[in-house]
Amino acid sequence: MPEVMVEVEVRAAQNVLEACAQTDTMERVVFTSSVTAVVWKDGHKLVDAFDERNWSDLAFCRKFKLWHALAKTLSEKTAWALAMDRGVDMVAINAGLLTGPGLTNAHPYLKGAPDMYEDGVLVTVDADFLADAHMAVYESPTAYGRYLCFNNAVCRPEDAAEFAQMISPSAPHSAPSDELKVIPQRIQNKKLNKLMVEFASAIYGDLD
């Protein structure tokens, strides 16, 4: 994602929120953002655990040319500002890297992936879980604010090897070394998990 696309994405967010604000029948907006709008800032290695309260730093993203993170952070901030100004009921989902057919190591989310792995914040989400999360935050009357959304954290050497194989299937890969350590996970999505359990319980009754 080149720098010019940052402005394009911000304008798109602005146009969508303006359209929603002008639609009388709009009940709630679910804005899809990214984990990259959460984890990039000076001192990020010192954060004990990232959650929805964290924001990526714009100057940090520009300095290291993290255009995907910059675009997602700016567009989400723009959306929140407009939602509050226009009285739009908005909830944001900050999704991990969406896995599936067509994913390659050229995906702009993966700029800085080695650092994300070493920091314990390299997370992915599959399409089914992401769709379920969107449904839960849209339908749940108690949903509010931002929700980190992922169902896999790449923290073990074998996870990293499997992830590398997935994004670069034609590249040669070696088995993970026994000397490689497990990276502590430093990002959590307890807020979303709690909401999804409550939503499922409301629909299907007590799952026990």
Side-chain angles (χ1 to χ4, degrees):
M1 177 184 290
E3 185 176 6
V4 67
M5 293 304 296
V6 174
E7 184 179 349
V8 172
E9 186 152 347
V10 172
R11 282 204 307 268
Q14 183 175 3
N15 292 339
V16 168
L17 263 294
E18 286 287 3
C20 292
Q22 295 172 22
T23 304
D24 294 336
T25 56
M26 184 66 62
E27 296 181 4
R28 169 174 287 170
V29 174
V30 180
F31 186 85
T32 305
S33 185
S34 173
V35 165
T36 61
V38 173
V39 300
W40 289 114
K41 60 182 178 179
D42 281 324
H44 57 92
K45 295 182 182 297
L46 303 177
V47 178
D48 289 333
F50 285 91
D51 61 21
E52 291 81 4
R53 295 169 293 182
N54 296 105
W55 283 90
S56 291
D57 180 74
L58 301 178
F60 184 93
C61 293
R62 288 190 179 98
K63 179 180 179 181
F64 293 99
K65 295 180 171 53
L66 298 163
W67 304 128
H68 184 275
L70 181 63
K72 296 302 181 182
T73 306
L74 274 174
S75 60
E76 187 187 346
K77 284 180 176 286
T78 298
W80 278 117
L82 275 168
M84 289 185 283
D85 182 63
R86 303 296 297 275
V88 175
D89 180 7
M90 189 181 104
V91 180
I93 286 186
N94 294 79
L97 177 66
L98 179 62
T99 56
L103 177 63
T104 71
N105 58 7
H107 194 293
Y109 183 108
L110 293 171
K111 178 72 180 292
D115 285 328
M116 283 193 280
Y117 173 66
E118 292 175 5
D119 293 346
V121 297
L122 181 55
V123 291
T124 66
V125 62
D126 62 55
D128 288 341
F129 187 86
L130 185 59
D132 289 344
H134 276 76
M135 183 180 297
V137 300
Y138 179 77
E139 297 285 353
S140 299
T142 58
Y144 69 95
R146 307 168 85 203
Y147 289 87
L148 280 167
C149 179
F150 58 90
N151 59 346
N152 181 56
V154 183
C155 293
R156 302 175 301 168
E158 52 267 38
D159 296 334
E162 183 179 346
F163 182 73
Q165 180 69 44
M166 177 175 60
I167 62 175
S168 302
S170 61
H173 297 285
S174 57
S177 169
D178 292 337
E179 297 178 359
L180 295 176
K181 62 181 180 180
V182 174
I183 305 294
Q185 181 177 326
R186 293 174 54 238
I187 186 169
Q188 55 94 354
N189 60 349
K190 295 177 182 178
K191 183 182 176 186
L192 177 63
N193 288 340
K194 181 175 183 292
L195 182 78
M196 291 181 72
V197 169
E198 292 172 350
F199 177 65
S201 180
I203 294 178
Y204 303 112
D206 191 343
L207 299 180
D208 293 336

